[in-house]
Amino acid sequence: DADVTQTPRNRITKTGKRIMLECSQTKGHDRMYWYRQDPGLGLRLIYYSFDVKDINKGEISDGYSVSRQAQAKFSLSLESAIPNQTALYFCATSDPGGTYNEQFFGPGTRLTVL
Amino acid sequence: RKEVEQDPGPFNVPEGATVAFNCTYSNSASQSFFWYRQDCRKEPKLLMSVYSSGNEDGRFTAQLNRASQYISLLIRDSKLSDSATYLCVVNMVDSSYKLIFGSGTRLLVRP
Protein backbone atom coordinates (compact mmCIF):
# COMPACT_ATOMS: atom_id res chain seq x y z
CA ASP A 1 0.00 0.00 0.00
CA ALA A 2 1.13 3.56 -0.70
CA ASP A 3 2.55 5.48 2.26
CA VAL A 4 0.85 8.75 1.28
CA THR A 5 -2.61 8.59 -0.27
CA GLN A 6 -4.85 11.29 -1.66
CA THR A 7 -8.55 11.27 -2.43
CA PRO A 8 -10.08 11.92 -4.85
CA ARG A 9 -7.52 11.38 -7.61
CA ASN A 10 -9.52 13.39 -10.09
CA ARG A 11 -12.32 15.87 -9.59
CA ILE A 12 -14.28 18.15 -11.87
CA THR A 13 -16.40 20.78 -10.21
CA LYS A 14 -18.13 24.06 -10.93
CA THR A 15 -17.28 27.59 -9.89
CA GLY A 16 -18.54 28.39 -6.40
CA LYS A 17 -18.64 24.83 -5.12
CA ARG A 18 -16.92 23.78 -1.90
CA ILE A 19 -14.33 21.08 -2.42
CA MET A 20 -12.31 19.04 0.04
CA LEU A 21 -9.16 17.13 -0.86
CA GLU A 22 -7.97 14.55 1.62
CA CYS A 23 -4.54 13.22 2.45
CA SER A 24 -3.59 10.29 4.66
CA GLN A 25 -0.18 8.89 5.51
CA THR A 26 1.13 5.78 7.19
CA LYS A 27 4.74 6.98 7.46
CA GLY A 28 4.30 8.28 10.99
CA HIS A 29 5.63 11.70 9.99
CA ASP A 30 4.69 14.79 11.94
CA ARG A 31 5.08 17.27 9.09
CA MET A 32 2.54 17.50 6.28
CA TYR A 33 2.23 19.88 3.34
CA TRP A 34 -0.12 20.84 0.55
CA TYR A 35 1.25 22.04 -2.80
CA ARG A 36 -0.24 22.91 -6.12
CA GLN A 37 1.51 22.43 -9.44
CA ASP A 38 0.79 24.45 -12.56
CA PRO A 39 2.54 24.09 -15.92
CA GLY A 40 5.70 26.18 -16.03
CA LEU A 41 5.45 27.29 -12.40
CA GLY A 42 6.72 24.35 -10.41
CA LEU A 43 5.25 23.31 -7.08
CA ARG A 44 4.03 26.07 -4.78
CA LEU A 45 3.33 25.64 -1.08
CA ILE A 46 -0.25 26.31 0.04
CA TYR A 47 -0.24 25.27 3.72
CA TYR A 48 1.90 23.18 6.03
CA SER A 49 1.54 21.63 9.45
CA PHE A 50 4.25 20.50 11.84
CA ASP A 51 1.88 18.66 14.15
CA VAL A 52 -1.83 18.34 14.95
CA LYS A 53 -1.97 21.72 16.70
CA ASP A 54 0.15 23.58 14.18
CA ILE A 55 -1.09 25.13 10.92
CA ASN A 56 0.88 27.60 8.80
CA LYS A 57 0.22 29.46 5.59
CA GLY A 58 2.46 28.92 2.61
CA GLU A 59 3.06 31.28 -0.27
CA ILE A 60 -0.37 30.92 -1.91
CA SER A 61 -2.92 30.26 0.85
CA ASP A 62 -5.63 32.69 -0.30
CA GLY A 63 -8.81 30.85 -1.22
CA TYR A 64 -7.75 27.70 0.65
CA SER A 65 -8.11 26.35 4.18
CA VAL A 66 -6.79 23.21 5.86
CA SER A 67 -7.57 20.92 8.74
CA ARG A 68 -5.16 18.57 10.52
CA GLN A 69 -7.54 16.03 11.96
CA ALA A 70 -4.85 13.68 13.23
CA GLN A 71 -1.17 13.06 12.77
CA ALA A 72 -2.00 10.94 9.75
CA LYS A 73 -4.62 13.18 8.11
CA PHE A 74 -4.40 16.61 6.52
CA SER A 75 -7.22 17.94 4.36
CA LEU A 76 -7.35 20.91 2.02
CA SER A 77 -10.56 22.80 1.33
CA LEU A 78 -11.52 25.22 -1.39
CA GLU A 79 -14.41 27.14 0.13
CA SER A 80 -15.66 28.53 -3.17
CA ALA A 81 -13.78 27.09 -6.10
CA ILE A 82 -12.76 29.31 -9.00
CA PRO A 83 -11.33 28.35 -12.42
CA ASN A 84 -7.78 29.53 -11.64
CA GLN A 85 -7.65 26.89 -8.90
CA THR A 86 -7.57 24.27 -11.64
CA ALA A 87 -4.28 22.49 -10.98
CA LEU A 88 -2.58 19.33 -9.79
CA TYR A 89 -2.54 19.19 -5.99
CA PHE A 90 0.02 17.23 -4.01
CA CYS A 91 0.17 16.33 -0.36
CA ALA A 92 3.59 15.59 1.13
CA THR A 93 5.07 14.49 4.44
CA SER A 94 8.47 14.74 6.06
CA ASP A 95 10.18 13.58 9.21
CA PRO A 96 11.80 16.40 11.22
CA GLY A 97 14.53 13.98 12.19
CA GLY A 98 14.97 12.72 8.66
CA THR A 99 17.82 13.32 6.31
CA TYR A 100 17.91 16.74 4.71
CA ASN A 101 14.16 17.29 5.00
CA GLU A 102 13.27 14.84 2.24
CA GLN A 103 9.59 15.12 1.44
CA PHE A 104 7.44 12.18 0.34
CA PHE A 105 4.59 12.97 -1.98
CA GLY A 106 1.17 11.47 -2.52
CA PRO A 107 0.01 10.58 -6.05
CA GLY A 108 -1.75 13.90 -6.57
CA THR A 109 -5.30 15.11 -7.15
CA ARG A 110 -6.14 16.60 -10.52
CA LEU A 111 -8.77 19.29 -9.95
CA THR A 112 -10.67 21.04 -12.71
CA VAL A 113 -12.93 23.98 -11.90
CA LEU A 114 -15.33 24.88 -14.69
CA ARG B 1 13.33 36.72 -10.76
CA LYS B 2 12.41 33.18 -9.78
CA GLU B 3 14.10 31.84 -6.66
CA VAL B 4 15.11 28.66 -8.49
CA GLU B 5 15.57 28.73 -12.24
CA GLN B 6 15.91 25.88 -14.68
CA ASP B 7 15.93 25.51 -18.44
CA PRO B 8 12.54 23.87 -19.17
CA GLY B 9 13.92 21.89 -22.13
CA PRO B 10 12.98 19.48 -23.49
CA PHE B 11 16.36 17.87 -23.86
CA ASN B 12 15.99 15.21 -26.54
CA VAL B 13 18.91 12.77 -26.50
CA PRO B 14 19.64 9.28 -27.85
CA GLU B 15 20.11 6.30 -25.57
CA GLY B 16 23.64 6.16 -24.24
CA ALA B 17 24.19 9.91 -24.38
CA THR B 18 25.47 12.03 -21.54
CA VAL B 19 23.24 14.96 -20.61
CA ALA B 20 23.67 17.76 -18.10
CA PHE B 21 21.10 19.99 -16.46
CA ASN B 22 21.81 23.23 -14.70
CA CYS B 23 19.95 25.18 -12.07
CA THR B 24 20.57 28.55 -10.42
CA TYR B 25 19.18 29.83 -7.15
CA SER B 26 18.86 33.40 -5.99
CA ASN B 27 19.20 33.21 -2.20
CA SER B 28 22.83 32.88 -1.17
CA ALA B 29 21.74 31.73 2.29
CA SER B 30 20.13 28.56 0.90
CA GLN B 31 21.15 25.57 2.92
CA SER B 32 20.32 22.26 1.27
CA PHE B 33 19.91 21.23 -2.33
CA PHE B 34 18.22 18.34 -4.09
CA TRP B 35 17.23 16.88 -7.41
CA TYR B 36 13.77 15.33 -7.60
CA ARG B 37 12.46 13.32 -10.51
CA GLN B 38 8.87 13.58 -11.70
CA ASP B 39 7.35 11.25 -14.27
CA CYS B 40 4.45 12.48 -16.36
CA ARG B 41 1.33 12.99 -14.20
CA LYS B 42 3.05 11.38 -11.22
CA GLU B 43 4.36 12.67 -7.91
CA PRO B 44 7.91 14.01 -7.48
CA LYS B 45 10.41 11.62 -5.90
CA LEU B 46 13.81 12.41 -4.43
CA LEU B 47 16.59 11.47 -6.85
CA MET B 48 19.55 12.69 -4.85
CA SER B 49 20.77 15.31 -2.44
CA VAL B 50 23.51 17.67 -3.57
CA TYR B 51 26.60 18.30 -1.47
CA SER B 52 29.34 20.90 -1.81
CA SER B 53 31.86 18.16 -2.46
CA GLY B 54 29.70 16.69 -5.21
CA ASN B 55 28.12 13.29 -5.09
CA GLU B 56 27.61 10.38 -7.39
CA ASP B 57 24.98 7.67 -7.48
CA GLY B 58 25.55 5.22 -10.29
CA ARG B 59 25.08 7.07 -13.58
CA PHE B 60 24.04 10.28 -11.83
CA THR B 61 26.40 12.98 -10.58
CA ALA B 62 25.33 16.15 -8.79
CA GLN B 63 27.48 19.20 -8.18
CA LEU B 64 27.00 22.36 -6.15
CA ASN B 65 28.85 25.63 -6.67
CA ARG B 66 27.91 27.94 -3.79
CA ALA B 67 29.98 30.85 -5.09
CA SER B 68 28.06 30.89 -8.36
CA GLN B 69 24.78 29.68 -6.77
CA TYR B 70 24.63 26.93 -9.30
CA ILE B 71 23.61 23.27 -9.14
CA SER B 72 24.10 20.65 -11.84
CA LEU B 73 22.98 17.12 -12.58
CA LEU B 74 24.88 14.90 -15.01
CA ILE B 75 23.35 11.70 -16.37
CA ARG B 76 25.70 9.29 -18.12
CA ASP B 77 24.69 6.45 -20.45
CA SER B 78 21.08 7.65 -20.68
CA LYS B 79 18.36 5.02 -20.61
CA LEU B 80 14.85 5.24 -22.02
CA SER B 81 13.62 5.00 -18.43
CA ASP B 82 15.43 8.26 -17.59
CA SER B 83 12.79 10.17 -19.56
CA ALA B 84 11.13 12.41 -16.99
CA THR B 85 11.14 15.94 -15.61
CA TYR B 86 13.97 16.78 -13.23
CA LEU B 87 13.20 19.31 -10.50
CA CYS B 88 15.88 21.37 -8.84
CA VAL B 89 14.94 21.99 -5.19
CA VAL B 90 16.42 24.29 -2.57
CA ASN B 91 15.87 24.35 1.18
CA MET B 92 15.85 27.90 2.52
CA VAL B 93 17.93 28.53 5.60
CA ASP B 94 15.31 30.76 7.24
CA SER B 95 12.65 28.02 7.34
CA SER B 96 13.71 24.50 8.00
CA TYR B 97 10.56 23.20 6.41
CA LYS B 98 10.45 25.13 3.19
CA LEU B 99 11.48 23.60 -0.10
CA ILE B 100 11.55 25.86 -3.15
CA PHE B 101 11.00 23.98 -6.38
CA GLY B 102 12.22 24.91 -9.81
CA SER B 103 9.75 24.42 -12.62
CA GLY B 104 11.71 21.45 -13.94
CA THR B 105 13.73 20.35 -16.95
CA ARG B 106 12.16 17.79 -19.20
CA LEU B 107 14.32 14.97 -20.58
CA LEU B 108 13.33 12.74 -23.48
CA VAL B 109 15.60 9.78 -24.23
CA ARG B 110 14.95 8.26 -27.65
CA PRO B 111 15.89 4.76 -28.88
Side-chain angles (χ1 to χ4, degrees), chain A residues 89-105:
Chain A
Y89 290 84
F90 287 106
C91 173
T93 74
S94 71
D95 177 3
T99 304
Y100 297 107
N101 195 35
E102 178 182 359
Q103 293 188 11
F104 299 85
F105 287 82

Side-chain angles (χ1 to χ4, degrees), chain B residues 3-90:
Chain B
E3 292 182 86
V4 179
E5 295 207 56
Q6 298 181 249
D7 180 342
F11 286 63
N12 191 324
V13 303
E15 272 188 292
T18 295
V19 62
F21 306 139
N22 302 319
C23 165
T24 58
Y25 59 95
S26 60
N27 190 329
S28 60
S30 299
Q31 188 175 45
S32 305
F33 309 89
F34 313 90
W35 285 100
Y36 276 69
R37 171 189 167 131
Q38 185 174 24
D39 293 303
C40 187
R41 297 177 178 267
K42 299 289 183 114
E43 71 272 24
K45 294 183 179 179
L46 181 67
L47 178 65
M48 59 198 306
S49 300
V50 187
Y51 311 127
S52 295
S53 56
N55 51 304
E56 186 174 315
D57 183 1
R59 298 181 293 107
F60 298 83
T61 300
Q63 295 278 354
L64 167 64
N65 184 322
R66 286 188 183 271
S68 301
Q69 295 178 207
Y70 170 99
I71 305 161
S72 65
L73 177 68
L74 182 75
I75 305 175
R76 291 180 298 278
D77 189 22
S78 298
K79 311 293 184 188
L80 295 177
S81 58
D82 294 332
S83 296
T85 297
Y86 292 83
L87 307 176
C88 177
V89 185
V90 173

Side-chain angles (χ1 to χ4, degrees), chain A residues 42-74:
Chain A
L43 279 82
R44 293 181 292 167
L45 183 64
I46 305 173
Y47 271 95
Y48 64 100
S49 169
F50 282 176
D51 62 42
V52 175
K53 298 178 182 178
D54 177 75
I55 299 290
N56 302 280
K57 292 183 178 180
E59 60 181 306
I60 53 163
S61 59
D62 287 349
Y64 301 95
S65 62
V66 291
S67 174
R68 185 79 184 268
Q69 301 95 323
Q71 186 206 37
K73 296 185 181 295
F74 192 36

